[in-house]
Amino acid sequence: GPAAQLKHLGAAHGKAPSDKMSSSRTTIMLRNLPNNYTRTMLVDLIDWAGFGGKYDFLYLPIDFRTHAALGYTFINLVSPEDAERLRIFFDGFSKWAFPSSKVCS
């Protein structure tokens, strides 16, 4: 859930999350993305979800040998409010362009 996500992201910074940190956070990690999603498909999905123009960085790592996505992405939103809206929108998301049992978290 949200608390576990915030704890996980806080741990990446070497400190526990606080209300102040979570209210100013703009970078979100989405996990459990289908491995066959491309960066273009992900950008199209995020824009379709109403976040077009509201992010300035997106990183979708891929396996250079298989050319498959690794199943997670980092997105930096331009405001903490948009970051929270994106996190809520994609938490539990599963309406992928391809059939997939993966549920975003």
Side-chain angles (χ1 to χ4, degrees):
Q5 285 178 328
L6 288 175
K7 183 177 181 184
H8 175 75
L9 288 172
H13 295 288
K15 50 186 139 179
S18 67
D19 288 340
K20 185 178 179 186
M21 266 183 76
S22 61
S23 66
S24 63
R25 188 181 316 277
T26 58
T27 302
I28 299 294
M29 178 186 190
L30 297 179
R31 294 177 291 189
N32 297 325
L33 305 176
N35 298 78
N36 55 353
Y37 254 57
T38 65
R39 187 180 191 284
T40 300
M41 293 171 68
L42 186 58
V43 165
D44 288 347
L45 175 63
I46 292 166
D47 291 353
W48 168 85
F51 296 96
K54 296 183 179 181
Y55 57 98
D56 55 12
F57 177 82
L58 183 144
Y59 174 60
L60 177 68
I62 64 163
D63 180 320
F64 289 107
R65 188 177 52 78
T66 64
H67 303 287
L70 297 181
Y72 64 92
T73 189
F74 290 97
I75 306 166
N76 188 66
L77 288 292
V78 296
S79 75
E81 295 78 18
D82 286 329
E84 180 64 7
R85 283 184 40 246
L86 183 133
R87 187 193 61 75
I88 290 167
F89 182 90
F90 281 101
D91 188 33
F93 185 86
S94 62
K95 294 178 179 151
W96 310 112
F98 297 121
S100 175
S101 60
K102 292 201 170 188
V103 177
C104 192
S105 63

